[in-house]
Amino acid sequence: MSHEQAFPYTLDVQPCDRPAGHFRWTIREHGKLLQRSDRSHLTEEAALKNGRAELERVASAGRSR
């Protein structure tokens, strides 16, 4: 399981129950769920890469507010 912080956001990657052996990510803002992956990823690294890209998009949108 991976956990990264980019205040006020956190990115967590966790294994899925279904399908077993796959991973999903979640992005939280101040601890509150903001977004989660809509699909599972084959590896933790793939989920982390996809989650980081989405976190960057979310963070840049937050900076432009």
Side-chain angles (χ1 to χ4, degrees):
M1 177 173 75
S2 297
H3 178 84
E4 294 186 3
Q5 289 186 305
F7 187 79
Y9 305 104
T10 57
L11 171 65
D12 291 308
V13 175
Q14 298 179 323
C16 299
D17 291 336
R18 291 188 196 149
H22 287 68
F23 295 84
R24 292 187 192 272
W25 53 260
T26 58
I27 296 173
R28 297 180 183 278
E29 183 176 16
H30 297 291
K32 187 175 182 180
L33 179 64
L34 182 65
Q35 192 171 345
R36 69 177 67 163
S37 58
D38 57 349
R39 63 183 183 93
S40 61
H41 302 273
L42 292 175
T43 65
E44 184 176 7
E45 292 79 21
L48 188 57
K49 182 178 177 182
N50 184 259
R52 283 178 178 156
E54 191 60 24
L55 178 60
E56 181 60 32
R57 188 190 70 72
V58 167
S60 66
R63 286 190 293 260
S64 65
R65 291 189 237 169

